[in-house]
Amino acid sequence: MAEKGQNELLKARDRTLSVFREEAEREWKGPFYFIQGADPQFGLMKAYSIGDCNSGGDEWEAELQLTRQAVEAINRLNPRPKFLVLCGDLIHGMPGTEWREAQIRDLRNVLKDLRSDIPLVFVSGNHDLGNTPTPETVRDYCQQWGDDYFSFWVGGVFFLVLNSQLYFDASRCAALKAAQDAWLEQQLALAEKKQCRHAVVFQHIPFFVNEPEEDHNYFNLEKAVRHELMEKFCRAGIKTVFSGHLHKNAGGTYKDLDMVISSAIGCQLGEDTHGVRMVGVTAEKIVHRYYSLSELSDHQNVEKEFLALIKPN
């Protein structure tokens, strides 16, 4: 198995992922699946344990081991997933904090062990950019992990990756938000033409946790913002949005749009266990299930149970 080197973490550039060539991937080729993870967030478990989640967390061995367990389990899956997407909060240290660079280094070193034929897709979170991002924090993220928003095709399915922090608080980077807005309008116009089998969105902060009309708080987007985006997504035919941020499994439905929130690889803030979500794509629908890392490690049972859901009749 070839090692994935530092320069092979498949950074998105020019608003796409070059590993998936659009001309080869626009056509539907049959069912497939991918893995969605969220919030490895190196450092949060220590910060949470001492009741100071605003600290950068000076110890992250637990998250390192959990992420390594996830990588090892995913490597054993057969057939292999099309890709692994990490929906934000890659590390816990905010921009400018003491432990940030060491957390980034250790996460990258663990992710290098992922099979070289399983591309990585990175989504920016609030801890990656700051709760109030700036042009400088966005630039630094893009240098480390690739573009903060982009699109790509896999097997006839159109995927959009968004920088949700620009919808949470763009007070210090209004021009960047305007640029993403303009780009998103173009991408949604493509999706609306219905030349893709499905269109799927990845972002860090969910529109809502349980109900579309719930009050705004740290874990969702402001009501007017969420409704504007959800309406645009519905018109474009997008049916599923995957996110993290909550550190619990949750979600709900707005019209025909499913909001799917996956719990964390790292620190849990509810009753779920450390895990990832397997997402199957068939011609008719998108199916998914969250697996604990211990369940995922029992790969033969996972393959038998989950992959049966996406096999053609």
Side-chain angles (χ1 to χ4, degrees):
M1 184 185 303
E3 183 180 88
K4 196 185 296 290
Q6 285 282 3
N7 294 324
E8 296 179 288
L9 290 181
L10 301 175
K11 297 177 182 179
R13 293 290 184 237
D14 300 320
R15 304 300 174 200
T16 193
L17 278 171
S18 61
V19 67
F20 297 117
R21 294 184 300 111
E22 182 176 340
E23 61 272 21
E25 295 290 347
R26 286 183 70 110
E27 182 180 348
W28 174 253
K29 299 180 179 68
F32 65 89
Y33 80 104
F34 61 88
I35 305 291
Q36 183 227 359
D39 302 274
Q41 204 159 342
F42 281 25
L44 176 58
M45 292 175 76
K46 172 65 178 296
Y48 186 68
S49 71
I50 63 175
D52 183 13
C53 290
N54 291 320
S55 75
D58 62 357
E59 200 283 321
W60 51 91
E61 181 64 24
E63 290 97 336
L64 191 153
Q65 293 300 332
L66 288 164
T67 306
R68 180 174 291 124
Q69 183 181 353
V71 166
E72 290 173 351
I74 292 168
N75 281 344
R76 288 194 294 269
L77 291 172
N78 183 35
R80 66 174 174 82
K82 286 289 189 179
F83 58 86
L84 165 62
V85 56
L86 294 175
C87 281
D89 280 3
L90 306 174
I91 49 90
H92 182 60
M94 289 281 192
T97 55
E98 180 179 2
W99 304 106
R100 181 177 173 87
E101 292 306 315
Q103 291 169 0
I104 290 173
R105 179 200 63 220
D106 285 356
L107 176 59
R108 290 175 67 89
N109 284 336
V110 173
L111 294 177
K112 283 195 301 179
D113 290 333
L114 187 68
R115 285 178 54 143
S116 59
D117 56 357
I118 302 177
L120 276 159
V121 180
F122 295 109
V123 182
S124 60
N126 58 302
H127 280 261
D128 306 310
L129 302 171
N131 286 324
T132 304
T134 68
E136 291 74 26
T137 65
V138 173
R139 180 199 63 214
D140 290 347
Y141 170 87
C142 293
Q143 289 176 346
Q144 288 281 1
W145 304 107
D147 288 348
D148 55 324
Y149 59 91
F150 55 95
S151 63
F152 61 98
W153 289 79
V154 176
V157 178
F158 190 41
F159 293 94
L160 299 174
V161 172
L162 297 184
N163 178 348
S164 58
Q165 211 58 33
L166 296 178
Y167 298 116
F168 190 86
D169 184 357
S171 59
R172 298 181 65 187
C173 52
L176 295 182
K177 179 183 181 297
Q180 178 173 251
D181 286 344
W183 172 88
L184 181 59
E185 291 293 337
Q186 296 174 341
Q187 304 304 302
L188 293 179
L190 291 175
E192 194 170 358
K193 293 179 180 178
K194 302 190 185 304
Q195 294 177 343
C196 52
R197 181 67 60 166
H198 303 284
V200 175
V201 170
F202 300 121
Q203 59 193 52
H204 180 62
I205 301 178
F207 292 135
F208 57 89
V209 172
N210 294 303
E211 300 290 341
E213 298 302 326
E214 68 194 22
D215 290 340
H216 170 52
N217 58 45
Y218 176 80
F219 289 108
N220 60 24
L221 294 182
E222 193 275 330
K223 277 188 179 182
V225 173
R226 87 177 70 140
H227 277 282
E228 179 182 1
L229 287 168
M230 291 190 301
E231 281 294 319
K232 288 180 178 180
F233 285 11
C234 288
R235 287 196 298 270
I238 291 171
K239 296 297 178 66
T240 314
V241 177
F242 292 97
S243 74
H245 190 52
L246 187 66
H247 295 253
K248 304 176 188 178
N249 288 309
T253 302
Y254 174 80
K255 296 183 178 179
D256 293 329
L257 181 70
D258 288 332
M259 181 71 251
V260 181
I261 306 170
S262 293
S263 196
I265 294 172
C267 186
Q268 302 297 307
L269 300 183
E271 300 302 317
D272 298 296
T273 54
H274 313 281
V276 297
R277 189 173 298 275
M278 294 182 70
V279 184
V281 183
T282 73
E284 295 78 25
K285 60 185 178 179
I286 294 173
V287 296
H288 52 86
R289 184 191 154 181
Y290 184 85
Y291 286 88
S292 71
L293 295 183
S294 60
E295 288 177 315
L296 194 69
S297 296
D298 187 7
H299 62 98
Q300 291 180 333
N301 280 342
V302 169
E303 292 157 7
K304 180 179 179 181
E305 176 191 79
F306 182 78
L307 297 181
L309 297 176
I310 64 172
K311 286 182 179 178
N313 295 327

